[in-house]
Amino acid sequence: MARCGAGTPFLLRLSLLLLLRPGGEWDPSRTLGCASVAVGSPVVPLGSAVTASCTIQSELCRGLEQGKVRITWMLDNEPVAGSQHRGPGATEVSNLTLPQFNRTQAKLWCWVEWNGTKQRIGMAEIRAGYPPAKPFNLSCILDLSDYGLTCQWEQGADSHLPTSVALKCAGDPRDHSSRCRRSRAQAVTGCTPQGGRSRCTVPRRLLQLYRQMEIWVSATNALGTTESEHLCIDPMDVAKLDPPALQSIQSIPFQTDCVALAWEVARSNAHMELQCELRYRAPEDPAWALVTGIVGQAGTMQHCGFLFGTQYRFQMRCRRSSARGYWSEWSLGRNYTTHEKAPTGKLDAWWSARPAGAGRRLEVQLRWKAPRRREANGRVLGYCVTLSPRKRGRDPPTVCNTTHTQCNFSAPAGTRRVYLSAYNAAGESAPTEVILLERKGQPLAGLRAVPGGERSLWVRWEAPPAPVAAYVLEWQRVSSEPGRCSACWQMERDGATTAILIRDGIEPFQRYNISVYPLYKDAIGVPIHTTAYSKQKAPSYAPKLHLKSISKSDAELCWDPVPVEMQNGFITSYTIFWANSTAEVSSATVNPSLSSFVIRKLKPSTLYKVHIMASTAAGSTNGTSLTLVTMVLDDIEIQFLFLTLGLIFVLLILLLICFQKNGRVKQQFWPSVPDPANSSLGKWVPAELQQEPLQLPGAREPGLATISTVAVLERAAGKQPSAWGKEPSAETAGTFPAVPQPYVRQEGPGTPGRGRAAAEPCQGLGGSGETVQYAQVVGDGYKGQQHAPPRLYLRSNSTQPLLLDPSPSPKPYENLWFHGAAPHGCPGDGGCSEELPATFPLLQGLRIGGAEELQDCRAF
């Protein structure tokens, strides 16, 4: 029993799955008696309440006969709560109420949950929306080619529900009145729009021509039906006719401003009474001129008021005369030029004059405005300027005949009047008298100009006290060439006017010089001037900075002003910015009239970056950056430093000159030192050496010995050097010892030497032997020279000890005393004989300063 009870839930789940479709829904053929979902209405107004119920009959649903069943709801994918109760006949019922349904379309699902299994058992689809909107702007037009009535309308707001739209029409063929009687008419569907469009065409078979018909649009959906306003028309009243055709245009009679036109209607409209319109315009006209009230099927018409010598374009259209219907399209245009007539009216002229030819001639520049179109009466071929008016029978001399609107000519001094006329193919105008008045009248009381737009300027002034007949305004772009042009001036003949709007040649971002001249009856007033821009913006570029001068704390900068055509407005200021390497930024504003600036309080030996900004009322523009480094010293400090160094150099030169000239001072700083190279040692050779040649190595190469060291020792005054092992005697303290006789001794290679030798004292004139200072000359042979015995030995007879180390001895003179026996007559521990100095020819030839004190030595 336990095993059977455990398997019951599995069997129930399997039975539920077998009753369901693969998609999870019940098969309708098997759930009609098991479960059902009902809603109050499948289509409801948007935002209204929705009610639904789900009923399950447990005995009809196998597997649900036993146990408790729970019913739940899902609106699309969102769970919603409902109330469940047991109904009659062992049924389970769940009711659901949605108080506000705000979706245009949704699916409401009923779910059953039993023993942990949840499945969908029913579904109801709900749609919500609005009733159809009322169509409006219904209009129809009849096409005479197939006589189909095409109507169009505007649908209105979307109802969010499927809506069917149809064009309805009704008409009683027995009713010939002009009123629509809806009660007697039987409505038929004329056409249905396709593809969601808002237009369709009623075929000819459903129309009643020349009778009133009622036409309207009907829109229907699940929430109701709406109709447009009913249109009661005769289909022929809304017919669009074919345009007429212009046959001919001509001027009649001659020399008038009237023209005659011939026209005819299209063949499809020949049986109708028509009402037509004519329009025309010249190329210079801003709009068409319209002629109405042309009635008839075909014929001719006349119209006046055309200008002479002007080309016009004509067009015509028609409609039924008794209709409220549509006009036909405009006919093909036709051009026609009216005949010409001699120009009329006076020309506006302006002039300037200056004396020439030593005052005997007058150079005149005359400018004038072309005649207005109404006065030109055709195309002007040229202009003629004369010095006198034309008289009958003769033509005055012509000073200028040109096609331009200005002329430069020379006239006799004293000329006060010239005459100007225009001519075309039909004749010449009456001459305009130009009086050359002097410019000495009163000027205006004030003048100013303000923008009137991007391409216009309002010029306003204060009238002078005296009455003015007219005003002349001149304006010219500052960057333009100085030459004058006819488009740069304008005359105002109303003397009471104090403002004029000028448009000719005005461009934005350009500066204009404006001058106003008051014209009096007998003089021309002195002009006053102003400048203006029609529109401003930031300058095109800022000026480039240049470094003019720099010191340790100041830097003077200069720049070239921005060209006028690149300023794009009035320069209000220049702003200079400078910053050092620590990002300390400073600035200064400079008047726009200046072109240089001095930056002060800079740090010495510091790098700065400087740039300039040019500003107008409409914006600013930065220039390129300039890098500069301040100096360590100012110019005055540098001059003072150079002056000080120069004085020090001069003082040094003077001191050197003084030392050079004064021997005593020179001796103190630069004492004289004997020069062994220039002594007599190298020139003198003792007689013993001449009789007994020196046994020198044969391998020695000839050449001078290199002197590497010369040492001179002087005895201090009042002192006497003592001999080895003896105290100096008192009686010899004031004498200078005699020079010991040098010797040169030659020994064989086998002679043994000793480590030191004693010196024989020199006998002075007084008979007392004493030691003296000595000089030592060390020589060296050529590099790499081989020395062979016998060797030379050089010593001084001095009480001072000789060098114990033989290594400093020069290579050409090796001391034989250290290599062999002592020389003959000089025992190792005894002194040399008195003739030993004679064996030192080098010492005998050595002379040093103060040799006169050595006369007490024994003669050589």
Side-chain angles (χ1 to χ4, degrees), residues 439-519:
R439 300 183 179 182
K440 60 179 182 180
Q442 295 181 1
L444 298 176
L447 177 66
R448 63 191 181 95
V450 296
E454 288 193 5
R455 299 184 179 274
S456 61
L457 287 169
W458 272 108
V459 182
R460 295 183 172 90
W461 62 87
E462 298 179 13
V468 179
Y471 294 96
V472 173
L473 284 79
E474 285 185 341
W475 64 92
Q476 191 167 8
R477 204 167 75 182
V478 175
S479 61
S480 62
E481 295 296 329
R484 303 292 181 175
C485 62
S486 60
C488 296
W489 68 278
Q490 180 177 335
M491 179 177 288
E492 177 56 47
R493 293 190 175 274
D494 186 1
T497 302
T498 58
I500 292 179
L501 181 65
I502 56 177
R503 295 187 179 92
D504 295 342
I506 302 297
E507 296 181 1
F509 319 124
Q510 298 297 327
R511 183 185 301 181
Y512 291 90
N513 286 334
I514 302 172
S515 305
V516 179
Y517 299 79
L519 303 183

Side-chain angles (χ1 to χ4, degrees), residues 427-445:
E428 186 176 356
S429 68
T432 299
E433 185 181 41
V434 181
I435 303 176
L436 307 180
L437 299 174
E438 296 183 4
R439 300 183 179 182
K440 60 179 182 180
Q442 295 181 1
L444 298 176

